[in-house]
């Protein structure tokens, strides 16, 4: 019976300790990942030292420790990426891994050192750091009818109508005297001027012939009257 009592005694001490279960924490590469860990603080006498380490919690201390505190502040740090951002005096000793990497994946031990035999509060946390997910959604395509290629069906829905202003005869005359806006306008104006200039000489020639005929008749009549007087 004494042997049985001695063999069961260590297991009794281990099972009655304040050890808590761990957790699984997932994060992405490049992000800050926080691994939770707390202990109960009712007065200043409850504030105690603790450590974080890589791997499962050993019998004492931390295996491969990465950060240590004296209960009030951080005393040792293996890497500046490991930070305790919680209020240590309130028992928040959660570990924050800044700019996490895939190599940070693994088991982490949180050990709070409580005075007494086998009274340390320990918890193992499995940290999984994954690569950032890349969206595989197809990009949106935006189509504008105004930018359609020449000759497409969209051109029929956008007819282009050009309206030229009407020009009166007086405006045409004023335009002919000024500079031409294009080669075709100049040729039209020149043709109209030629037609006008050609119509004037024929009219002038007919009037001059009429005047010359009347003048000759008057001269002949005067000569005839003079001849009669002389005879």
């Amino acid at each position: 019976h004494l042997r049985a009592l001695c063999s069961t005694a260590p297991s009794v001490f281990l099972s009655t300790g304040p050890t808590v279960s761990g957790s699984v924490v997932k994060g992405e590469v490049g992000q800050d990942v926080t691994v939770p860990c707390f202990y109960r603080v009712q007065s200043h006498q409850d504030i105690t030292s603790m450590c974080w380490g890589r791997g499962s919690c050993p019998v004492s201390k931390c295996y491969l420790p990465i950060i240590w505190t004296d209960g009030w502040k951080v005393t040792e740090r293996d890497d500046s990426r490991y930070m305790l951002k919680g209020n240590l005096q309130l028992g928040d000793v959660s570990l924050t891994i800044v700019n996490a990497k895939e190599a940070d994946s693994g088991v982490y031990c949180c050990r709070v050192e409580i005075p007494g035999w086998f009274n340390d509060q320990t918890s193992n946390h499995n940290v999984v750091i994954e690569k950032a997910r890349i969206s595989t959604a197809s990009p949106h395509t935006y189509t504008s009818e105004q930018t359609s290629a020449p000759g497409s069906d969209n051109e029929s829905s956008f007819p282009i109508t050009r309206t030229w202003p009407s020009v009166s005869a007086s405006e045409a005359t004023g335009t002919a005297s000024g500079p031409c806006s294009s080669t075709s306008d100049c040729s039209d104006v020149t043709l109209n001027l030629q037609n006008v200039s050609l119509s004037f000489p024929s009219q002038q020639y007919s009037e001059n012939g009429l005047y010359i005929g009347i003048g000759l008749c008057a001269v002949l009549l005067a000569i005839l009257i003079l001849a009669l007087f002389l005879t």
Side-chain angles (χ1 to χ4, degrees):
H1 296 286
L2 182 59
R3 182 180 297 177
L5 180 61
C6 293
S7 61
T8 57
S11 63
V12 171
F13 283 117
L14 291 174
S15 62
T16 56
T19 302
V20 297
S21 60
S23 61
V24 177
V25 179
K26 293 184 178 181
E28 293 184 355
V29 174
Q31 294 183 348
D32 295 351
V33 178
T34 299
V35 186
C37 188
F38 303 88
Y39 71 97
R40 188 175 182 180
V41 175
Q42 294 181 332
S43 64
H44 291 305
Q45 287 75 18
D46 296 330
I47 299 175
T48 182
S49 59
M50 60 84 56
C51 65
W52 278 94
R54 297 295 299 263
S56 300
C57 294
V59 177
S60 64
K61 306 301 180 179
C62 289
Y63 178 72
L64 296 178
I66 59 177
I67 196 167
W68 277 95
T69 76
D70 59 2
W72 301 88
K73 64 182 181 302
V74 175
T75 57
E76 295 182 21
R77 194 195 313 268
D78 181 63
D79 193 325
S80 59
R81 296 190 303 115
Y82 300 134
M83 303 180 66
L84 300 182
K85 295 184 177 182
N87 192 331
L88 301 181
Q89 300 177 16
L90 295 179
D92 184 0
V93 291
S94 301
L95 173 67
T96 298
I97 305 174
V98 179
N99 191 18
K101 304 176 182 178
E102 286 188 276
D104 294 324
S105 300
V107 178
Y108 287 76
C109 168
C110 176
R111 177 181 290 274
V112 179
E113 297 182 324
I114 299 175
W117 285 67
F118 303 103
N119 287 335
D120 288 353
Q121 173 183 308
T122 59
S123 57
N124 296 316
H125 306 267
N126 187 20
V127 177
V128 179
I129 307 300
E130 301 175 343
K131 292 182 178 180
R133 298 179 181 179
I134 302 176
S135 177
T136 58
S138 58
H140 297 285
T141 303
Y142 300 94
T143 304
S144 176
E145 293 182 355
Q146 296 180 357
T147 58
S148 58
S152 61
D153 297 337
N154 293 331
E155 289 186 348
S156 59
S157 61
F158 295 95
I160 299 175
T161 304
R162 295 181 180 178
T163 304
W164 299 100
S166 58
V167 180
S168 60
S170 60
E171 292 175 347
T173 305
T175 303
S177 61
C180 301
S181 60
S182 64
T183 305
S184 58
D185 295 339
C186 290
S187 59
D188 294 340
V189 173
T190 303
L191 182 60
N192 293 332
L193 291 177
Q194 290 178 353
N195 292 335
V196 173
S197 61
L198 289 176
S199 61
F200 288 151
S202 59
Q203 184 176 0
Q204 291 176 356
Y205 292 156
S206 58
E207 291 178 357
N208 292 335
L210 178 60
Y211 294 152
I212 292 173
I214 295 174
L216 290 175
C217 293
V219 170
L220 293 176
L221 181 59
I223 295 173
L224 180 61
I225 296 173
L226 182 60
L228 292 175
F229 279 114
L230 293 175
T231 55

